[in-house]
Amino acid sequence: MRIDLVTLFPEMFAGVFGSSIIGRAAERGIVDIHYTNFRDYSTDKHRHVDDAPFGGGAGMVLKPEPLFSAVRDVQSKTSAYELGRCTIIFDPAGDVFTQDTAKEFAAHQQLILICGHYEGFDARIYDLADRIVSVGDFVLTGGEIPAMLVVDATARMLAGVLGDAASAPTDSFFEDLLGCPQYTRPREFEGKAVPDVLLSGDHAAIARWRREQALLMTLRHRPELLANAKLSQADRDFLAEQEKRR
């Protein structure tokens, strides 16, 4: 997958994408990450990319010309990806980013992520986007941190990125459920022991325990997720029994 980040601050991504899982995925060629500084596409001598809003008000607004030129340049240089491309803008009014969104984005050949800054975009810039995405109900100084989040979550869905191919399907939210509790050595720590079933060697019993714990965690902490989760009859029976005990 090719990922193009259109940003005023490409240096912000170096530490995040140059190490750990994303860094290794880039080294292996699973993800190909490129940066475009849209200030390079400003046409005035001071390289302005923003201006005061018409009608007055606080803050500065990103101008359309530099961003249109930058995104169109990226698109023209990557025309081979045109049919598998998705261009994304971050905005509180967008669709909330979820695990399902990450799976959807992972099916594309190219993502172009436009990272805004300052008070916001000139409204005409939204015409560039195929998707408008929100990462939550809060305000950040720019789109770089949301872009890091989206790239990280999406890259995990690509074949070969995780060292263990079974890791992604056990992540929280992969099946609209929270993850189950995990344990490692030592077997006992400060009076708390690892559940016996995990030491039993009975893989069917372990799988059943993990499934039930994931259901229980979701019921306790994020019950609204259960409405969209894919539940078997055994899952439903287990949840019904837990509801009786509450």
Side-chain angles (χ1 to χ4, degrees):
M1 168 183 277
R2 177 174 171 124
I3 298 170
D4 285 275
L5 295 139
V6 181
T7 171
L8 292 173
F9 302 100
E11 65 276 7
M12 287 183 64
F13 296 92
V16 176
F17 292 163
S19 59
S20 189
I21 289 173
I22 304 300
R24 292 194 295 272
E27 289 174 0
R28 296 199 298 269
I30 301 171
V31 293
D32 184 18
I33 301 176
H34 297 260
Y35 305 95
T36 299
N37 190 331
F38 60 90
R39 192 179 297 280
D40 295 338
Y41 294 81
S42 177
T43 56
D44 69 67
K45 65 178 181 179
H46 299 294
R47 302 178 72 208
H48 288 141
V49 295
D50 61 334
D51 208 336
F54 282 123
M60 303 291 280
V61 176
L62 287 172
K63 293 160 58 69
E65 304 99 312
L67 269 166
F68 266 82
S69 295
V71 171
R72 285 173 173 168
D73 191 32
V74 170
Q75 292 172 338
S76 68
K77 292 175 179 175
T78 59
S79 57
Y81 296 97
E82 184 174 0
L83 296 180
R85 173 188 294 148
C86 184
T87 302
I88 300 159
I89 279 180
F90 299 102
D91 187 277
D95 298 326
V96 176
F97 184 77
T98 66
Q99 191 67 36
D100 284 340
T101 320
K103 295 178 197 176
E104 176 191 339
F105 286 171
H108 289 86
Q109 294 177 294
Q110 181 188 22
L111 299 180
I112 300 175
L113 297 99
I114 301 173
C115 304
H117 226 75
Y118 308 121
E119 192 65 21
F121 296 102
D122 181 292
R124 292 162 291 190
I125 291 170
Y126 290 90
D127 292 343
L128 290 169
D130 300 306
R131 291 290 300 275
I132 301 173
V133 171
S134 168
V135 297
D137 295 338
F138 45 83
V139 179
L140 297 170
T141 55
E144 286 77 18
I145 292 175
M148 294 174 194
L149 184 155
V150 166
V151 171
D152 187 278
T154 300
R156 291 174 60 85
M157 299 295 99
L158 300 175
V161 168
L162 299 180
D164 184 345
S167 292
T170 61
D171 286 342
S172 290
F173 304 112
F174 192 89
E175 293 184 316
D176 291 308
L177 296 175
L178 298 181
C180 66
Q182 299 284 359
Y183 296 88
T184 187
R185 294 178 178 85
R187 290 178 62 168
E188 186 171 330
F189 179 72
E190 295 191 351
K192 293 186 177 180
V194 175
D196 290 338
V197 65
L198 298 178
L199 309 172
S200 68
D202 184 336
H203 297 297
I206 291 170
R208 183 167 61 253
W209 180 87
R210 286 176 168 163
R211 180 68 176 183
E212 289 178 351
Q213 290 298 306
L215 290 165
L216 190 57
M217 290 283 286
T218 307
L219 179 64
R220 288 175 176 171
H221 301 290
R222 293 292 303 279
E224 75 279 5
L225 295 174
L226 294 169
N228 295 320
K230 297 177 181 177
L231 302 177
S232 66
Q233 188 57 52
D235 293 338
R236 297 181 188 281
D237 292 343
F238 175 79
L239 289 169
E241 183 62 29
Q242 297 305 312
E243 288 282 12
K244 290 179 185 177
R245 297 180 182 179
R246 296 177 73 176

